[in-house]
Amino acid sequence: MDEDSTVAQDVSADPTRDRQDEDQLLPQLVAHLREHRSKVREEWETRIQDANLLHAMTPKEMAAETTSVYDNYVEVLETGSVEALQHYAQDLSERIIPRGVETDEVVGIVLLLRDVLARSLFEKYQKDFPLLNRVLDAYEPAANRIANTVAVSFVDERERVIRQQQDAIRELSTPVLPVRERLLILPIIGVLDKERARQLTEQLLTGIRTHRAKVVVIDITGSPDVDEAVANHLVRTVDASRLMGASVIITGLSPKIAETLVTIGVDLSKMNTIGDLQGGLEEAERLLGYTVRRPDGSAGQ
């Protein structure tokens, strides 16, 4: 390696030089990108459409969002602060996630913007190759930091939305319903896994306290099967409800669930089980002191 190559290598590897270049060149880049804002943004939007990204948006919405992203992007290049971009990325995610925009689309449009801006810089500085290299060395770390910030913010928001949707689905699938004064019914539909069983207990105990319930009917007709861990959790739910002052009636036990309860050695004397929901409601009303009358007018026994 000759002396000139060694000197060039030492200069390019100097972090102080890189920092000085970034401080000196980024303001020039920002000025250039603002001056050519319309042209560069339109080129970026065209490439987004060619890549079939953000197809869930109307042309008007895409124009508005790409303008906002572009301006936020350039601002981060100017200030070095990603906080404003993080807030914008979160707001953008809240708007577009419900419309079906996927993570790869968001990452894709940010990478396209990075490339479009790099091409614009190449056109400006192509006659001075050494300067172009310094410009790109200053631009690329900032551009990669921006792309990473947007991607992470979008993924975080998407995960939050998914968790929120899952919680809402669970609440809908395990509703605690007041039937009459001091009487609640909890119909369980679908697979009862450990997470749903835990949520079931929380909702039920909250419902008992809120409605001052004395009797709860848990109907598991719509749950085809439970494993041993969930069966044990169901027993603990009955015990916890009893501590809260409410009797529990379980209806709709399938033969398989009944077999599971016997296999794990549940003390069945602690569980009040009735064959079907109608019978469970009649038993609950008797426990509450109501007179149960059949359709023919006769009193139930």
Side-chain angles (χ1 to χ4, degrees):
M1 183 180 293
D2 58 31
E3 182 177 353
D4 290 341
S5 299
T6 303
V7 172
Q9 184 180 47
D10 290 342
V11 170
S12 63
D14 184 358
T16 303
R17 169 70 179 274
D18 290 344
R19 181 71 257 178
Q20 290 174 345
D21 274 356
E22 186 172 333
D23 291 341
Q24 294 172 2
L25 295 175
L26 281 180
Q28 297 180 33
L29 306 187
V30 169
H32 169 74
L33 297 176
R34 284 193 171 134
E35 179 183 355
H36 299 278
R37 174 174 177 264
S38 296
K39 176 185 175 183
V40 176
R41 191 199 62 75
E42 288 173 4
E43 181 181 346
W44 176 40
E45 185 174 329
T46 298
R47 293 194 61 185
I48 291 174
Q49 292 171 339
D50 291 343
N52 197 31
L53 299 175
L54 301 185
H55 49 79
M57 289 186 177
T58 65
K60 184 177 180 180
E61 290 171 332
M62 183 181 293
E65 295 297 354
T66 53
T67 299
S68 295
V69 172
Y70 186 95
D71 291 342
N72 275 273
Y73 196 106
V74 174
E75 182 178 349
V76 175
L77 287 175
E78 179 179 37
T79 64
S81 173
V82 297
E83 291 184 4
L85 183 62
Q86 286 175 325
H87 291 308
Y88 174 76
Q90 182 177 346
D91 291 340
L92 174 64
S93 301
E94 290 176 355
R95 292 195 300 274
I96 65 179
I97 286 175
R99 307 192 50 184
V101 176
E102 299 294 337
T103 304
D104 62 316
E105 291 186 85
V106 173
V107 175
I109 67 170
V110 175
L111 294 179
L112 281 177
L113 177 57
R114 184 193 65 179
D115 294 345
V116 167
L117 296 182
R119 287 173 180 269
S120 178
L121 296 175
F122 181 83
E123 291 176 3
K124 177 177 176 62
Y125 296 102
Q126 60 180 321
K127 295 181 179 179
D128 189 341
F129 197 71
L131 179 57
L132 174 62
N133 280 333
R134 291 172 57 198
V135 167
L136 293 178
D137 285 343
Y139 168 72
E140 287 176 354
N144 290 336
R145 186 165 62 248
I146 292 171
N148 182 67
T149 297
V150 173
V152 169
S153 297
F154 185 87
V155 170
D156 287 346
E157 178 61 20
R158 185 172 180 81
E159 290 179 348
R160 186 193 69 79
V161 170
I162 290 173
R163 287 194 299 269
Q164 189 178 58
Q165 291 172 340
Q166 289 174 337
D167 290 342
I169 290 172
R170 289 193 186 101
E171 289 179 6
L172 289 173
S173 61
T174 54
V176 179
L177 307 173
V179 178
R180 63 189 306 169
E181 187 177 2
R182 305 297 179 90
L183 172 57
L184 300 178
I185 180 173
L186 176 59
I188 301 173
I189 301 173
V191 177
L192 189 62
D193 56 20
K194 290 179 65 175
E195 178 60 26
R196 281 193 66 198
R198 181 194 60 78
Q199 188 181 44
L200 178 151
T201 301
E202 292 178 358
Q203 290 181 240
L204 181 58
L205 296 181
T206 299
I208 290 172
R209 182 178 58 188
T210 301
H211 298 283
R212 302 174 65 194
K214 291 298 182 184
V215 182
V216 176
V217 177
I218 300 178
D219 181 63
I220 58 177
T221 304
S223 183
D225 190 18
V226 296
D227 60 21
E228 183 174 328
V230 173
N232 277 313
H233 195 99
L234 188 62
V235 174
R236 290 196 294 272
T237 299
V238 172
D239 290 339
S241 300
R242 187 178 294 113
L243 288 175
M244 295 282 291
S247 299
V248 177
I249 300 170
I250 298 180
T251 65
L253 283 174
S254 68
K256 191 170 185 179
I257 295 177
E259 184 179 350
T260 299
L261 293 175
V262 172
T263 300
I264 66 176
V266 172
D267 184 356
L268 298 178
S269 65
K270 292 183 178 181
M271 300 183 69
N272 187 358
T273 60
I274 303 293
D276 58 25
L277 179 58
Q278 180 61 38
L281 291 174
E282 292 177 358
E283 175 65 14
E285 292 188 329
R286 275 193 287 268
L287 291 175
L288 290 170
Y290 295 106
T291 300
V292 180
R293 293 193 174 275
R294 308 231 180 250
D296 60 4
S298 62
Q301 299 298 316

